[in-house]
């Protein structure tokens, strides 16, 4: 059973930074893509960033490009989301996700591309 556990959320001021972590267990972490999504109050969950199984490819939503960086440490079975220059509109619950495509080359930006999800961590950016 794949398990994902996010951490690192919290309250930060406008322009501040946070680093989210997602620890995975239950299978070989290093063979699967990982992604971050977020859901703001009253809105649908949206794609934030994804990284390939070996870290060689990444993709970002336009809204976070240049401010957020996704990375992974396969030795620690952990994926990270470094968030800089945070804005109030980044306030949301952030979820990490992974899929079942062994060493897949395509980075999905839709929810349907991922099968396993964490419980989420709250990020609040005050204005």
């Amino acid at each position: 059973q794949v398990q994902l556990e996010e951490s690192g959320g919290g309250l930060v001021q406008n322009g501040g930074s946070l680093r989210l972590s997602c620890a995975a267990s239950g299978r070989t972490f290093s063979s699967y893509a990982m992604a971050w999504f977020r859901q703001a109050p009253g809105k649908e969950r949206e794609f934030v960033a994804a990284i390939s199984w070996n870290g060689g490819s990444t993709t970002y939503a336009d809204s976070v490009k240049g401010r957020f960086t996704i990375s992974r440490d396969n030795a620690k079975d952990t994926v990270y989301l470094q968030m800089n220059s945070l804005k109030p509109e980044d306030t949301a619950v952030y979820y990490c996700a992974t899929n079942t495509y062994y060493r897949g080359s395509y980075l999905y930006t839709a929810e349907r591309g991922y099968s396993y999800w964490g419980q989420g961590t709250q990020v609040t950016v005050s204005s």
Side-chain angles (χ1 to χ4, degrees):
Q1 181 76 6
V2 177
Q3 292 187 329
L4 303 173
E5 183 172 359
E6 302 95 339
S7 62
L11 174 64
V12 63
Q13 290 188 334
N14 189 12
S17 298
L18 279 176
R19 188 177 80 155
L20 305 183
S21 301
C22 173
S25 62
R27 69 175 184 185
T28 305
F29 172 82
S30 60
S31 297
Y32 300 91
M34 299 293 297
W36 287 95
F37 286 75
R38 66 186 181 185
Q39 186 168 21
K43 296 187 177 181
E44 294 186 351
R45 189 153 56 182
E46 64 175 3
F47 171 78
V48 175
I51 187 167
S52 61
W53 62 275
N54 61 356
S57 298
T58 58
T59 189
Y60 297 90
D62 288 344
S63 59
V64 307
K65 203 171 292 184
R67 300 187 298 123
F68 291 11
T69 302
I70 188 171
S71 63
R72 65 190 297 160
D73 185 340
N74 285 346
K76 295 182 178 180
D77 292 352
T78 301
V79 64
Y80 304 97
L81 186 68
Q82 177 66 45
M83 305 185 295
N84 298 328
S85 302
L86 282 161
K87 307 173 182 180
E89 50 263 44
D90 294 317
T91 294
V93 177
Y94 283 71
Y95 300 90
C96 69
T98 189
N99 59 30
T100 59
Y101 306 114
Y102 180 79
R103 296 190 177 182
S105 59
Y106 184 76
L107 290 178
Y108 293 88
T109 60
E111 287 189 59
R112 65 179 179 274
Y114 299 90
S115 302
Y116 302 103
W117 296 82
Q119 293 299 306
T121 185
Q122 176 71 47
V123 172
T124 303
V125 184
S126 62
S127 57

